[in-house]
Amino acid sequence: MRLSDTDHDRVTAAVTQAETATTGEIVTIVARQSDAYHDVSMHWGVLAMLLTLALVAYHPVAADHIYARVDPWQAAPQGALYVLVLVTLVFLAVRLVLAWTPARLALTPGATKARRVRRRALLLFRAGAEKRTKGSTGVLLYLSLAEHRAEIIADDAIHSRVPNETWGAAMAAVLAGVRDDRPADGMADAVAQIGAVLAEHFPRTGAPVNELPDRLIEL
């Protein structure tokens, strides 16, 4: 899913409007996906191999029957080879199925997705927003579409005054937008919530100075 030009304009306008009342700076980034999760397919493949071995060990008579059908004269000596071939085929079959991204995402634990979305958000925050303003008042709103997860990360000056729980309404807004298949509206609503928090703790007192770009960044 890619956002349209209208979606970009909507989020950018929301950032511009939110920053009129605060010295804080809001950066918005949306990514299609935060990680490829290829290691997850490897883990499932290994688990499938182990389960196959466990089933063979649990039903040795049935396994011997299969070996005998394949090679009735050398069932016993060739048994280990057949097991090796079987588990290899199982592993390759699982990897093939999980080469399809939706299947891989569906089988990725929620905690793993959360950690990797958070890690990506932190990397982007450190690269593009952290300590990039005079008063260390930058905030990143990061949305990862494939995982349906978002992160809000604030600079030191903001973090010291605003507890993480304060961003709950903004998080709810962006995730509601994703759930309703209108991510741009969700991000715009979240930006308004973030702007209200920043205006309360960091009200604008002088002429506006735009230290970070207002435009929505799409990765």
Side-chain angles (χ1 to χ4, degrees):
M1 176 194 300
R2 296 195 69 86
L3 276 64
S4 66
D5 291 341
T6 302
D7 292 332
H8 278 256
D9 292 343
R10 186 180 301 119
V11 177
T12 299
V15 173
T16 302
Q17 177 61 34
E19 290 180 353
T20 58
T22 177
T23 56
E25 294 282 335
I26 303 170
V27 176
T28 55
I29 300 179
V30 60
R32 281 177 288 177
Q33 192 170 313
S34 290
D35 192 88
Y37 304 102
H38 288 307
D39 58 320
V40 173
S41 63
M42 177 71 74
H43 295 159
W44 279 109
V46 171
L47 178 60
M49 289 174 62
L50 294 174
L51 289 174
T52 301
L53 287 173
L55 287 172
V56 170
Y58 187 73
H59 294 288
V61 176
D64 289 341
H65 183 66
I66 295 173
Y67 306 150
R69 282 182 175 274
V70 176
D71 190 349
W73 300 105
Q74 300 186 52
Q78 297 296 324
L81 176 60
Y82 295 145
V83 171
L84 177 61
V85 171
L86 177 61
V87 296
T88 300
L89 290 175
V90 168
F91 176 79
L92 293 176
V94 171
R95 290 300 304 274
L96 180 62
V97 170
L98 295 185
W100 186 44
T101 301
R104 197 163 61 247
L105 281 170
L107 290 177
T108 299
T112 299
K113 293 178 185 177
R115 284 196 302 271
R116 298 197 184 175
V117 169
R118 177 72 177 178
R119 182 177 66 187
R120 183 81 185 282
L122 281 169
L123 287 173
L124 292 171
F125 174 72
R126 289 165 181 162
E130 187 177 27
K131 300 186 187 304
R132 297 300 179 93
T133 62
K134 184 177 180 180
S136 292
T137 54
V139 179
L140 170 66
L141 171 60
Y142 175 74
L143 171 62
S144 192
L145 294 171
E147 293 89 348
H148 287 198
R149 280 171 168 75
E151 288 286 342
I152 297 174
I153 303 177
D155 230 330
D156 290 343
I158 298 173
H159 187 66
S160 64
R161 296 192 197 180
V162 182
N164 290 333
E165 295 76 15
T166 307
W167 308 117
M171 288 290 288
V174 68
L175 293 178
V178 174
R179 189 167 51 250
D180 296 338
D181 200 26
R182 47 180 190 85
D185 290 340
M187 291 194 77
D189 292 343
V191 165
Q193 297 281 355
I194 293 170
V197 173
L198 293 177
E200 178 183 352
H201 295 277
F202 300 90
R204 182 168 297 284
T205 55
V209 178
N210 201 19
E211 298 178 273
L212 295 174
D214 292 350
R215 67 181 179 86
L216 172 64
I217 300 169
E218 187 170 5
L219 303 179

